[in-house]
Structure formats: structure tokens, C-alpha cells
Amino acid sequence: MKKLVLVVSAIATAVASQAATVNWSVSSLQDASGNALNGGYAYVFTTKGANATTVAALTAALEAATDAKSFQSALSGFTYMTALSGAVSGGSQGVSDVLISASGLTPNTSNTKLFALITDTATITDDTNWYVTGLSGGAKTGASDTALGAANFTVPDSGSHTASNWKAVAAPEPTSGLLMLLGMAGLALRRKRA
């Protein structure tokens, strides 16, 4: 009986280690000051299947937001892969061995690519900064959890290395900026006359 239990355990372990899984990572992430990003969050998206979106569509929707509430509303219009998303620590984020059924990706799909929305805070507030990465290389997702092999994705990190790539969640309205500029000009003229 003990031998039978050992054989079943060995088979279960072999199947689990060879099951169709998803692995992804992004590394060398930096905040707008050039330090390793800590405390941020990576929301992972795909370009294929029922949950597909594009970098351009996501970026355009998020750029139209003017505060944290409208940013979160825009983000909720897209489906991100919750099992693949998570906190950024030490300048990197990624997951390993997520079963295809739990990943949110469509099984048995060729040339699937991933990209991520990176924020510099774990919770989106008006002070949060963000950027959207480029696309990973394409990979084929497994046909089912019992299929063999893993889909591996490396998402490029180059966007975080430039402070100008980081965008503010609470973008000032153009009229607010204009009024502030006029007010400052008025103060400058008043001081000059005095």
C-alpha cells in the first residue's frame, strides 16, 4: 500500500510540475527619480483572447483621466489578469507557475503578448504616477492545465527609466493652469508697480 501511495504522489508531483503554466516578469523598474521602484503595482494585460486590449487603447483611456476616481473608472473598463498582477518590490515583479485556467489568458492561443500598467503606489490616489510598458515577445498558451509546457513572457521595462515617461494620475485641467498663470502674472505686475 505504501508503494502505491508513493507512486501516486510521484505522478501527481510530475503532472503538477509539467502542467501548462504561465510565467512572466519585469525587472529593473525605476521610479521617476531613478531609484529602484518599491511599493508600486503592476497590472498585467494581454493582446489576445476575450480579455484582449492594446497599449494604445489603455494609454489613451488613462490619459483622459483627471483624478484618481476617473483613473480607476477608466482602468475598470479593461480586464487585467489579476492572477498575474501584483506589487512591485525591489524594482521587479513577476509570477511563476500560474495554471493556464487561473491566469486569465485564453488557452491554446499563439502569439499571445503581455504588457503592464505600472504605478508607483500600491493604491491609486491623485498623487500616483504611472506608465504603460511595451509588449513582451509572443508565446503560445497551453491548451489546458493538463497540457505540458509553460508560456514564458518577459515584459520590457525601459519606460520607467525616464522621468518624462511617468504620467500623473491627477492631471491639472488646462483652465486651472491658465488661471494660475494669469494669477501669477497679476501678482508679478503688482509687485513691479509697488
Side-chain angles (χ1 to χ4, degrees), residues 15-148:
V15 168
S17 66
Q18 299 298 317
T21 57
V22 175
N23 306 310
W24 90 275
S25 64
V26 61
S27 59
S28 301
L29 293 172
Q30 298 176 357
D31 61 21
S33 301
N35 301 314
L37 182 61
N38 280 306
Y41 202 84
Y43 299 84
V44 180
F45 298 86
T46 183
T47 60
K48 290 280 187 141
N51 298 322
T53 191
T54 65
V55 170
L58 178 66
T59 302
L62 298 178
E63 284 178 339
T66 56
D67 58 17
K69 185 176 180 181
S70 61
F71 188 91
Q72 289 169 338
S73 179
L75 180 58
S76 69
F78 298 89
T79 302
Y80 64 91
M81 313 291 100
T82 54
L84 303 180
S85 301
V88 175
S89 178
S92 64
Q93 208 285 326
V95 298
S96 298
D97 300 326
V98 175
L99 288 175
I100 192 69
S101 63
S103 70
L105 298 173
T106 303
N108 202 28
T109 305
S110 296
N111 202 29
T112 299
K113 297 179 181 181
L114 299 182
F115 65 97
L117 160 66
I118 307 292
T119 61
D120 63 358
T121 60
T123 304
I124 295 170
T125 68
D126 285 349
D127 296 326
T128 299
N129 294 301
W130 63 277
Y131 84 98
V132 177
T133 68
L135 296 171
S136 70
K140 182 173 182 174
T141 57
S144 67
D145 288 348
T146 58
L148 301 181

Side-chain angles (χ1 to χ4, degrees), residues 128-174:
T128 299
N129 294 301
W130 63 277
Y131 84 98
V132 177
T133 68
L135 296 171
S136 70
K140 182 173 182 174
T141 57
S144 67
D145 288 348
T146 58
L148 301 181
N152 298 302
F153 302 93
T154 302
V155 174
D157 68 318
S158 57
S160 73
H161 292 194
T162 306
S164 62
N165 286 348
W166 286 97
K167 298 173 177 68
V169 164
E173 296 178 29

